[in-house]
Amino acid sequence: MGTGGGLIASAERPVPSPSAGEVLVQVKASSLNARDLLIVTGRYALDVPPGRIPLSDGAGVVEAVGKGVSRFRIGDRVVGTFHPTWLYGPFPEWGQLRGTHRDGWLTEYLVLDEQSLVAVPAQLSFEEAATLPCAALTAWSAVSGVGPGDALLVQGSGGVSVFALQFARLAGARVLATTSSDTKAQRLSALGASDVIDYTSTPEWGARVRELTGGADRVVEIGGAGTLPQSIDAVAQGGQIALVGNLATGGDMDVTRFFRRAATLRSISVGSRSDFERMNKAIGQHRLRPVIDRVFPFKEAPEAFAHFEKGPRFGKVVISH
């Protein structure tokens, strides 16, 4: 399926063949991120050519291999990396991403460089594995360094926030969360959140976090400009705000107040392939299961996007191929 005029349309194309260093993957599942919704509705910051196949995240089975491939064999279960060329070390630069510069995972078959794939954790289904490349790895990077005795704040119940809650709890940290839903509050608590704050009844939720904790050592910032003022209120002296999204409108950053916190604002660009492999090792050791909101069949991909945009969500929205 490809994009065109802000819509998703189905199309038939020949099954591609892998060249040297490439593998052909039979796609078994893909998942949605906020970025994907912007792309298919024509609101993304970059121009996307008509007919581009969307979705940066997916998992499947190696169907064929090109000459010289050594990392995978036919039959291996694999999941793609968000940054195809970021293998290790510090973030180099924004390269050619799937769904924009390259065709993405909303397809039956996809050819990829073997270097842009990692193995699926043994206990995960393809649907669970498809949730990992962007949301899980972003959360993993955002909570890196958090440990016992630390307090971490997550915003809402989207994919990144839920993964951040799970990873922080594995590390022994106390996790607080915000939501406007009693049902979601119960589910966040069941996953290990010690306190859940209703941001509708408590619009000054940053102050409430400080009352409960003395200040969050780490804030996973999803809203960006719209919620950053409250995150500055919430963060501890010398704490860190991990900026992973910019989904909420409004708000102005009080630079003076931020300066007085002696805090750090760090942007998160998902993570490298080596980060992905370390995360998968932890997922395997702790038997962690991704939280999936709903799985749609491939033929209902447009409905999956509609649900992602308007439906109440808790965790990831997945498409099963």
Side-chain angles (χ1 to χ4, degrees):
M1 294 189 184
T3 58
L7 301 172
I8 301 175
S10 61
E12 293 287 338
R13 298 181 184 177
V15 175
S17 298
S19 300
E22 296 180 332
V23 300
L24 172 67
V25 175
Q26 182 183 17
V27 183
K28 296 294 187 179
S30 54
S31 75
L32 277 63
N33 297 293
R35 168 183 182 268
D36 302 308
L37 181 63
L38 296 176
I39 291 170
V40 301
T41 55
R43 296 178 288 158
Y44 196 59
L46 301 176
D47 290 332
V48 179
R52 175 67 75 216
I53 299 173
L55 299 190
S56 60
D57 294 9
V61 176
V62 175
E63 184 86 357
V65 298
K67 184 178 180 180
V69 168
S70 60
R71 299 188 72 238
F72 299 102
R73 296 180 297 179
I74 293 173
D76 284 348
R77 302 194 316 145
V78 294
V79 56
T81 58
F82 182 83
H83 291 286
T85 58
W86 185 13
L87 305 184
Y88 54 86
F91 182 58
E93 62 181 13
W94 288 92
Q96 294 194 342
L97 304 181
R98 299 213 167 269
T100 50
H101 307 83
R102 305 180 183 184
D103 281 336
W105 286 85
L106 192 57
T107 181
E108 295 178 300
Y109 292 93
L110 185 62
V111 165
L112 307 100
D113 189 300
E114 66 166 333
Q115 302 298 334
S116 67
L117 294 166
V118 299
V120 172
Q123 85 275 16
L124 297 190
S125 67
F126 288 113
E127 288 77 13
E128 291 171 321
T131 70
L132 301 178
C134 184
L137 189 53
T138 295
W140 175 264
S141 299
V143 306
S144 176
V146 169
D150 290 332
L152 178 133
L153 173 67
V154 299
Q155 299 171 356
S157 56
V160 173
S161 294
V162 171
F163 273 120
L165 191 165
Q166 291 177 292
F167 289 141
R169 290 298 298 135
L170 287 184
R174 176 183 178 182
V175 181
L176 299 89
T178 63
T179 187
S180 62
S181 163
D182 290 339
T183 301
K184 290 180 178 180
Q186 294 173 6
R187 295 189 66 183
L188 289 164
S189 297
L191 284 173
S194 65
D195 302 270
V196 183
I197 304 165
D198 187 325
Y199 61 78
T200 302
S201 60
T202 310
E204 300 297 319
W205 46 265
R208 179 59 178 157
V209 171
R210 289 188 69 81
E211 290 175 6
L212 292 168
T213 64
D217 300 283
R218 185 77 52 87
V219 177
V220 181
E221 176 58 62
I222 302 293
T227 51
L228 193 54
Q230 288 302 312
S231 292
I232 292 173
D233 280 348
V235 73
Q237 291 295 126
Q240 183 183 114
I241 300 173
L243 180 64
V244 303
N246 190 30
L247 302 180
T249 57
D252 291 303
M253 179 175 175
D254 187 332
V255 177
T256 299
R257 190 151 47 96
F258 178 73
F259 181 78
R260 288 174 177 170
R261 286 277 191 267
T264 301
L265 178 64
R266 180 168 67 102
S267 63
I268 305 296
S269 301
V270 189
S272 68
R273 191 187 75 189
S274 62
D275 295 328
F276 202 159
E277 291 169 335
R278 282 194 294 271
M279 178 187 74
N280 281 353
K281 184 177 181 180
I283 287 173
Q285 288 178 342
H286 293 277
R287 311 298 292 179
L288 185 146
R289 308 308 291 257
V291 177
I292 294 177
D293 173 78
R294 186 172 169 186
V295 178
F296 289 81
F298 184 74
K299 65 181 180 180
E300 295 181 12
E303 287 80 359
F305 277 93
H307 175 72
F308 186 92
E309 182 174 23
K310 298 179 180 178
R313 290 182 285 115
F314 192 99
K316 293 289 290 180
V317 175
V318 175
I319 296 172
S320 177
H321 297 225

